[in-house]
Amino acid sequence: MKRETGEGGMDATGRKVLVTAGEILVEIMATQVGQSFRAPGPLVGPFPSGAPAIFIDQAGRLGQPCGMIAAIGADDFGTLNLDRLRASGVDVSAIAVHGDAPTGTAFVRYAEDGSRAFVFNIPLSASGRIALTKEGRALLERADHFHVMGSSLFSPAVVAVVTAGIEQVKQQGGTVSFDPNIRAEMLEAPGMREALSQILERCDLFLPSGPELFLFTQAQTEEAAVAELLARGVRAVVVKKGADGASYHDCEGTVSMPAFAVEEVDPTGAGDCFGAGFVCAWLGGAAPREALRQANACGALAVGTKGPMEGTGTAEAVRRFLAAQQETTR
């Protein structure tokens, strides 16, 4: 869906345009806790997925003007994702469709301790062919903000697209957010730590989950690590703590907020939805506490439904959720 843009890259409604780039895939899940992939077992899916796709889907559902640079296969899995993102209001003009490569896949199983294990096909899928096409360049020319997911940095080609996106948006006077969201094994890939560090140097808003806060610091406490990051030029740091809530830090102080108490059905994508909720509120000029409330609400709605995007809430759903929470605390 193409949008008219106004002065400074904003869309016709005056809202900032948010762009991300990265993998699109389908997720197929084991239905039983403790189930192994070494023997046949019941599965559920396919669900549209991919960390940046979940993020941008949530942003679109909140009414944020947004788009994505990505690649899918000319198959049912690709169509499933494209239809979902389009229906959520995401500009899909820069999502390339390849007839000779399949859409990425992820199979996930759940352990008794709540951890998850994945079997991925991403680098060898259509996502491995992500490139900065003319449609991608056109989308970036309209962008006010670029969001980076560490999970998307799985190949030098994708790193090049992300780097180009950052530079384009920065040259236009825009801002960048960075969610490291990276699997441990990716950290050992050649050039990965250097790429992550370069992205951090250009980012305005850093959104780590728990221990990810310490990926780029010498400090080993939250307070000291945040101080180190702010001294390096990051404008704000939001530390995601799952069921323990989140904390916002900038040079003016810290705001912490507990998570909403909800029944967890599926944690997949909750951090991506939280990030989208916060970034959209931040781009709209919301105060940190208000932005954290919206982000926590998006995360809470996400965990309540099976499937990575199935719990992404519309702006109205988030408002209703927050109103209900306010009623229960009176």
Side-chain angles (χ1 to χ4, degrees), residues 35-41 109:
Q35 186 174 329
S36 169
F37 284 154
R38 297 182 181 181
R109 58 184 175 84

Side-chain angles (χ1 to χ4, degrees), residues 54-325:
I54 299 166
F55 172 91
I56 209 69
D57 182 79
Q58 176 63 87
R61 300 265 283 170
L62 290 172
Q64 183 74 38
C66 61
M68 184 175 184
I69 299 169
I72 56 174
D75 50 35
D76 287 349
F77 290 168
T79 300
L80 173 70
N81 274 283
L82 202 62
D83 288 349
R84 168 66 193 222
L85 294 175
R86 187 182 287 116
S88 294
V90 177
D91 185 331
V92 299
S93 61
I95 298 177
V97 181
H98 293 278
D100 57 348
T103 301
T105 56
F107 289 78
V108 59
R109 58 184 175 84
Y110 303 84
E112 298 287 351
D113 63 2
S115 63
R116 295 169 293 164
F118 294 86
V119 176
F120 290 105
N121 174 25
I122 298 177
L124 298 178
S125 74
S127 286
R129 302 189 183 186
I130 295 171
L132 193 54
T133 61
K134 65 178 182 180
E135 292 83 4
R137 292 189 184 92
L139 181 60
L140 287 171
E141 287 174 1
R142 305 196 299 273
D144 301 280
H145 185 89
F146 190 77
H147 180 74
V148 181
M149 281 287 190
S151 65
S152 300
L153 307 175
F154 54 82
S155 76
V158 183
V159 171
V161 171
V162 168
T163 301
I166 292 171
E167 294 307 315
Q168 176 77 40
V169 171
K170 282 288 189 176
Q171 287 174 14
Q172 294 165 183
T175 49
V176 172
S177 53
F178 177 29
D179 182 340
N181 187 38
I182 190 164
R183 304 190 303 279
E185 64 269 21
M186 288 179 65
L187 286 172
E188 306 311 317
M192 178 56 66
R193 288 187 182 273
E194 292 81 359
L196 292 170
S197 295
Q198 289 171 11
I199 291 167
L200 181 70
E201 294 301 322
R202 303 291 279 154
C203 106
D204 300 276
L205 177 63
F206 185 47
L207 298 138
S209 293
E212 292 175 345
L213 174 64
F214 308 109
L215 283 174
F216 308 99
T217 67
Q218 298 295 318
Q220 292 300 307
T221 67
E222 181 173 323
E223 182 180 5
V226 166
E228 195 175 322
L229 290 165
L230 294 177
R232 290 171 62 179
V234 177
R235 286 171 52 185
V237 179
V238 178
V239 184
K240 297 178 285 182
K241 304 175 183 178
D244 293 325
S247 59
Y248 170 92
H249 311 264
D250 63 19
C251 291
E252 297 182 359
T254 295
V255 177
S256 295
M257 185 170 292
F260 296 112
V262 293
E263 181 180 355
E264 181 180 293
V265 175
D266 180 12
T268 306
D272 308 322
C273 291
F274 174 100
F278 190 92
V279 170
C280 291
W282 188 76
L283 288 175
R289 185 168 296 278
E290 181 184 346
L292 282 176
R293 276 178 57 79
Q294 173 163 293
N296 276 345
C298 290
L301 289 169
V303 302
T305 306
K306 190 78 168 178
M309 293 186 196
E310 304 313 298
T312 54
T314 62
E316 179 57 32
V318 170
R319 282 194 291 269
R320 288 198 305 267
F321 177 86
L322 290 173
Q325 293 296 315

